[in-house]
Amino acid sequence: MLAFIFKAHPERIAKMQLQVSSMRCSNTEGLPLTYDIVDRVPGHIFGKLGDTSRPVVLWLHGGAFILPAAPNAHLFMVAKLCKGLDADGFLPDYRLAPFNPFPAGLNDCELAYRSLLDMGYPPSKIVLGGDSAGGNFTLALLHRIKKAGLPMPACAIPVSPVTELGRLHNPPSRPRVRKKDPLLPVSGMQSIGNFYAEGQDTANPEISPLYMDCNGLPPLLFVASSNEILMDDAVMMARRTHAAGVPTSCHIWPHLPHAFPLFESYFPEATQARLDITEFAKQHLGTAGQ
């Protein structure tokens, strides 16, 4: 679908957005799943927000900045993550390009984080994460949190993040594995930039987080595959955060597609990656061993 959508007209993109949002999650791990509004941000909620003694997962879904959360990918994975952490979860239904380009989606993600703080959640109870475009939002949101002087979440997990939107040809894994990534074609990167950035300065760290000041960020776990064009988007970002003194782990899995942890039904490695994410979050929530 991603390869096709980059060439689609706005009317076709709108139809695909409606098609994805009409699907249903086949497995919520027994957790209640609702669609509701938190402050001014609608989204999918696992459990029931408000019990601030429990951890909460704020997950920013991917989809090339264009598609809504996919029920049997994003919702399915976050349900398992919440179950493993004994946490509630919120996936903001942020506004989508091309109809709402930068900074609309990031504004919604920032408001979602601020809303959790306003509800009384200690930042030490908030796990922030996102995949692909949502990984971009995860890092850009950390930049905004820092700029605003807000407290950082307990940890953050960018999965296959796109961190550079100004260059089609770099980071190096893009040309090197351009024929191997079955999910995200390198030729689509230019369309992603056009749809989302729409003439903005792509060196802005809120668009290309690779160029952000990394000092003061929370512990980070990057997850990507050696077979995806965005591998070096993750690796180079992880190098920068590590150099800035941020506790950083970077797991690069071999021979898997872009954002593979979303596809646990197809790849057994995705289960272990999700368990690794769960354990990382537990360590920084202070619940490891529970």
Side-chain angles (χ1 to χ4, degrees):
M1 178 177 283
L2 287 180
F4 177 77
I5 199 171
F6 296 137
K7 301 177 182 179
H9 293 294
E11 294 81 3
R12 180 58 179 158
I13 291 174
K15 288 181 180 178
M16 284 187 279
Q17 290 174 346
L18 289 169
Q19 180 182 358
V20 172
S21 65
S22 70
M23 299 174 182
R24 294 293 175 264
C25 182
S26 58
N27 181 1
T28 67
E29 291 293 309
L31 299 175
L33 173 60
T34 57
Y35 184 89
D36 208 341
I37 297 172
V38 177
D39 199 346
R40 300 192 309 277
V41 182
H44 294 90
I45 297 171
F46 284 102
K48 184 178 180 180
L49 296 182
D51 183 351
T52 58
S53 67
R54 290 168 53 80
V56 61
V57 175
L58 177 62
W59 194 267
L60 312 179
H61 70 81
F65 304 99
I66 297 169
L67 294 175
N72 282 324
H74 300 106
L75 298 186
F76 176 69
M77 191 272 288
V78 175
K80 286 183 170 291
L81 186 57
C82 289
K83 185 75 170 182
L85 291 172
D86 192 22
D88 299 311
F90 182 40
L91 290 87
D93 187 12
Y94 57 80
R95 286 168 289 174
L96 299 168
F99 311 107
N100 295 279
F102 175 85
L106 181 57
N107 288 348
D108 293 338
C109 295
E110 179 185 4
L111 182 55
Y113 184 75
R114 287 178 178 269
S115 297
L116 292 177
L117 295 178
D118 290 344
M119 291 172 69
Y121 281 98
S124 60
K125 290 285 189 180
I126 301 175
V127 174
L128 175 62
D131 58 278
S132 192
N136 175 288
F137 279 143
T138 297
L139 295 162
L141 177 55
L142 292 176
H143 173 80
R144 282 204 173 179
I145 290 169
K146 177 180 175 180
K147 185 168 65 173
L150 297 172
M152 289 288 176
C155 59
I157 302 124
V159 174
S160 298
V162 53
T163 63
E164 157 64 275
L165 277 171
R167 293 166 179 81
L168 172 66
H169 58 285
N170 268 316
S173 59
R174 294 185 185 179
R176 188 173 64 247
V177 300
R178 67 186 184 278
K179 296 182 180 179
K180 296 181 180 180
D181 192 329
L183 187 62
L184 184 62
V186 71
S187 59
M189 293 301 299
Q190 189 62 48
S191 296
I192 291 174
N194 291 340
F195 282 144
Y196 178 59
E198 200 179 55
Q200 300 288 322
D201 178 7
T202 52
N204 179 347
E206 293 187 0
I207 295 174
S208 295
L210 186 60
Y211 306 111
M212 70 188 290
D213 177 358
C214 298
N215 290 289
L217 299 185
L220 290 162
L221 171 61
F222 292 86
V223 180
S225 167
S226 64
N227 223 35
E228 64 171 310
I229 61 171
L230 297 184
M231 181 189 75
D232 281 339
D233 282 65
V235 170
M236 291 179 68
M237 189 77 216
R239 287 174 180 161
R240 295 203 68 233
T241 58
H242 176 72
V246 177
T248 302
S249 297
C250 184
H251 295 182
I252 302 299
W253 289 72
H255 313 305
L256 290 161
H258 171 65
F260 74 92
L262 298 177
F263 308 115
E264 201 164 330
S265 299
Y266 300 96
F267 303 106
E269 298 92 337
T271 299
Q272 186 58 55
R274 191 249 308 160
L275 293 173
D276 292 346
I277 291 169
T278 302
E279 183 58 30
F280 173 82
K282 282 184 175 182
Q283 289 175 2
H284 296 288
L285 289 167
T287 59
Q290 297 182 16

